[in-house]
Amino acid sequence: MPAVETRMTGPLRPIELATAAVLGGLAVVLTVVGWFLPHLGLIAAFAVVPLGVVAHHHRLRALLASAFAACVLSFLVAGTGTVSNIVECAAIGGLVGIAKRREWSLRLVALGVAVIGPVLAAISVGLLALFSSLRKLTLTQFRNTWKGIRKIVGGLLQQVGLLGPIDHFVNAALRDWWVTVAVVVMGATVWFAVLGWVFIGAVLERLKWIRATDRLDVGPDLAEPGPLPVTLSGVSYRYPGTDHDAIDGVTLTISPGEMVALVGDNGSGKSTLSRILAGRSATGGTISRPGAAALGRHGGTAMILQHPETQVLGVRVADDIVWGLHDATGIDIEDVLAQVGLAGFAERETSGLSGGELQRLAVAAALVRQPRLLISDESTAMVDEAGRRDLTALLRSLPTQNHGMAVVHVTHRPEEAKVADRRFRMQSGRLLPDDELLQPRGPVEGRAASGLGIASEEPNRPAALELIGVSHTYGLGTPWAQSAVRGVDLKVGPEEGVLIVGGNGSGKSTLAWIMAGLLRPTFGECLLGDAPVRGQVGSVGLAFQHARLQVQRATVGRDVRAAGAPDDEAVAAALAGVGLDAAEFAERRVDA
């Protein structure tokens, strides 16, 4: 994960805000746990690590934002005591993180600690002197801690003659509290610095192969929205660290009132071209538009991505639709939801939505911003057949209903592309016109079964996997209970293939997780052989809808090795089995 360039200016970018929020939240958790659990105050000191990582990877203002948010949250949860821990961890973590990034010497870090320690001590003493209730609470906590220790080891200390002197020392420390507090804070500063230097370095070593790049980072874009018409002339784009252009020589004009479809194979450059249209700067060629692309702003550009989980932020559906809007008055949430097939979903929790329902929600959240340019980057990929038809029809209707809007739809499906006004095919980074009549794909051959109440065609055949009366309800016993699977009886025999189909939200994914042993059914049993599959996790392989969730190593070859390939020959054979040449892919980074 490369460090941020020091010349970066302007407001915090999405990736900086996301990192600051997540790691700041982790710092709060560590602080609060260490504050409340008896004799585990050491845990709170580890809050220096996430805050140090923020300082290492991003600008100082990202650290300040993370520390401020963490201070507010920790104060609301646990009061002022935790805030002091967050402040100290942010100061020391910031010093160590920046030192690691700029490769400062230990002598320079020690000098920084020598400056920060007395400053923090003076602030702490000043606050305690100013707020008597806080001082009383702090000293009482210190006194109670000693009483607890005294009860545990007092007898032993009495035998060796140390109990009286220690009692005298504690009383003196409480009497001269300003000295005690200053010494404790400066000592803690040194301890936090040592802890941070060791553990931040270890964490950075583990994270160095992860590239924290935001491919939708379009940079500061504060001009008035004016995304259309947009004209690309000989545009190319090359990602950092690569030796070839992802797109090359693209010339294209998108005008208001039209729908344009982009089709092409994986890796052909479709998504890269979408990001250019959304406002990312090209590395070659020229881009002209009357104003700013204004990604995410009202009247600018909206983008719907393939994986809706990356775009859904609200706890409730209604909250997510207006997330990030400065003014949500006048928005008819029910009407927008009805447009995308989610009528009546406003009060549903987003965590209980299926993949297809989340995708519809992402479309709705884009529409309330009334974009002039709507980019759909394979937004129909995880929607069922009926939903794909409805969403495609909706995308087709938008330029007609809103004459100032244009829609760019990226898809693998010819039947979706053929409804567009213009169609283009991306091939090896080149944009080619595709005006041929695109035929829909033929039906998939094979046996299909309903998702509920199904059974093997040969009931007397021994089953490798068997489901008996399986049902599952999310949030059982709560007002938000949602039944996902009901009364499934299924036998899957050796060498047998079963295809389970159904609409979004019908329970397919829940059933798959139960069969893999990752989810315990509310009722019924799922057996692998003669034993519950729940106790045999790993014996049933599961391929997720989002392949990226299963990739855990830096390169393709390392990931296959980690999954069980014993040697390079086995890696090559496994890659060849799925159509990937080991010579080309084994050393390729998974994020490429």
Side-chain angles (χ1 to χ4, degrees):
M1 188 184 292
V4 70
E5 297 180 9
T6 56
R7 66 175 178 271
M8 186 183 295
T9 59
L12 288 174
R13 301 193 176 195
I15 193 168
E16 293 178 301
L17 288 171
T19 304
V22 172
L23 295 183
L26 178 57
V28 171
V29 171
L30 293 170
T31 298
V32 172
V33 168
W35 188 259
F36 282 111
L37 292 183
H39 312 301
L40 289 179
L42 174 65
I43 294 177
F46 281 93
V48 72
V49 177
L51 294 172
V53 172
V54 174
H56 179 271
H57 292 311
H58 300 295
R59 292 176 286 172
L60 179 60
R61 67 174 60 186
L63 173 63
L64 295 176
S66 182
F68 178 78
C71 284
V72 172
L73 182 57
S74 62
F75 175 77
L76 294 175
V77 172
T80 54
T82 54
V83 173
S84 61
N85 187 81
I86 293 290
V87 171
E88 185 155 7
C89 287
I92 299 303
L95 172 65
V96 175
I98 293 172
K100 291 282 187 181
R101 166 155 52 96
R102 298 183 178 178
E103 300 181 347
W104 289 350
S105 66
L106 277 173
R107 180 179 299 179
L108 192 56
V109 174
L111 178 61
V113 172
V115 173
I116 291 175
V119 171
L120 292 176
I123 293 174
S124 300
V125 171
L127 289 175
L128 292 177
L130 185 61
F131 300 104
S132 59
S133 57
L134 177 60
R135 180 174 70 251
K136 182 179 179 179
L137 176 63
T138 302
L139 298 182
T140 300
Q141 193 173 35
F142 185 84
R143 183 181 292 107
N144 290 339
T145 300
W146 166 240
K147 286 181 179 179
I149 296 173
R150 197 177 191 277
K151 286 183 179 180
I152 297 173
V153 298
L156 178 61
L157 294 175
Q158 181 70 36
Q159 290 178 5
V160 297
L162 293 178
L163 185 59
I166 294 178
D167 277 337
H168 178 74
F169 173 78
V170 170
N171 290 331
L174 291 173
R175 183 185 66 246
D176 301 326
W177 60 267
W178 55 89
V179 177
T180 304
V181 169
V183 171
V184 168
V185 170
M186 287 190 286
T189 301
V190 174
W191 164 240
F192 283 12
V194 172
L195 193 71
W197 186 264
V198 173
F199 284 94
I200 291 174
V203 170
L204 294 175
E205 182 66 24
R206 295 293 300 270
L207 295 179
K208 67 180 183 181
W209 63 272
I210 300 177
R211 294 179 178 176
T213 55
D214 180 4
R215 296 191 176 186
L216 280 179
D217 185 3
V218 297
D221 192 5
L222 303 179
E224 285 297 313
L228 293 177
V230 56
T231 299
L232 282 63
S233 301
V235 165
S236 61
Y237 187 84
R238 179 174 299 188
Y239 288 101
T242 62
D243 58 0
H244 65 280
D245 290 333
I247 60 172
D248 181 31
V250 171
T251 297
L252 174 67
T253 296
I254 306 292
S255 300
E258 67 172 341
M259 180 180 182
V260 176
L262 295 176
V263 297
D265 298 331
N266 290 329
S268 62
K270 305 188 303 299
S271 294
T272 301
L273 180 55
S274 297
R275 296 179 188 116
I276 295 294
L277 291 172
R280 185 149 192 165
S281 299
T283 54
T286 60
I287 304 172
S288 62
R289 47 169 56 98
L295 180 62
R297 292 163 56 190
H298 192 275
T301 302
M303 196 166 187
I304 311 164
L305 304 178
Q306 182 176 5
H307 303 306
E309 290 87 348
T310 62
Q311 292 185 272
V312 174
L313 300 172
V315 175
R316 297 183 312 143
V317 169
D319 297 332
D320 187 77
I321 287 182
V322 297
W323 187 279
L325 291 178
H326 294 294
D327 184 5
T329 56
I331 294 178
D332 190 339
I333 293 177
E334 290 293 347
D335 179 65
V336 175
L337 289 175
Q339 287 185 54
V340 297
L342 293 179
F345 275 63
E347 298 303 317
R348 289 273 298 273
E349 291 193 6
T350 56
S351 60
L353 302 183
S354 68
E357 290 166 344
L358 287 172
Q359 192 63 284
R360 296 169 189 258
L361 176 56
V363 175
L367 293 180
V368 299
R369 285 157 173 80
Q370 298 183 0
R372 312 313 295 169
L373 174 60
L374 178 64
I375 301 173
S376 161
D377 191 356
E378 299 190 42
S379 65
T380 60
M382 293 184 298
V383 183
D384 56 45
E385 184 177 358
R388 284 198 301 271
R389 288 197 299 267
D390 292 343
L391 278 179
T392 302
L394 173 62
L395 294 174
R396 170 63 272 184
S397 68
L398 291 175
T400 303
Q401 297 174 357
N402 305 275
H403 298 292
M405 177 188 289
V407 172
V408 176
H409 183 44
V410 178
T411 179
H412 283 291
R413 300 178 180 275
E415 64 270 24
E416 295 178 13
K418 72 176 184 179
V419 305
D421 298 304
R422 291 187 293 154
R423 298 181 294 273
F424 296 89
R425 179 176 298 278
M426 292 296 297
Q427 183 174 332
S428 300
R430 294 278 184 174
L431 185 68
L432 307 173
D434 191 347
D435 294 324
E436 299 176 2
L437 180 62
L438 303 176
Q439 297 296 329
R441 298 175 180 175
V444 178
E445 297 182 358
R447 295 189 298 123
S450 167
L452 299 177
I454 57 181
S456 171
E457 293 180 353
E458 301 180 46
N460 296 324
R461 187 176 185 180
L465 184 71
E466 183 175 7
L467 283 74
I468 306 170
V470 166
S471 298
H472 189 78
T473 300
Y474 291 100
L476 184 66
T478 73
W480 305 277
Q482 185 75 24
S483 177
V485 172
R486 297 184 300 275
V488 173
D489 296 305
L490 170 65
K491 290 184 179 180
V492 181
E495 302 180 4
E496 183 178 19
V498 175
L499 175 64
I500 300 175
V501 298
N504 294 129
S506 61
K508 304 186 303 297
S509 296
T510 299
L511 194 62
W513 280 63
I514 290 173
M515 289 191 289
L518 299 179
L519 188 64
R520 187 190 304 276
T522 307
F523 303 104
E525 290 185 294
C526 181
L527 304 176
L528 180 62
D530 296 324
V533 69
R534 179 74 178 175
Q536 306 178 66
V537 174
S539 298
V540 175
L542 177 64
F544 292 113
Q545 189 171 24
H546 305 314
R548 188 63 182 85
L549 296 178
Q550 293 182 270
V551 178
Q552 304 295 329
R553 296 295 185 270
T555 64
V556 172
R558 286 178 59 188
D559 195 73
V560 177
R561 287 292 295 270
D567 51 39
D568 291 342
E569 184 177 346
V571 169
L575 291 176
V578 295
L580 299 178
D581 182 7
E584 179 182 356
F585 283 93
E587 296 304 318
R588 182 176 294 187
R589 296 180 61 90
V590 296
D591 58 6

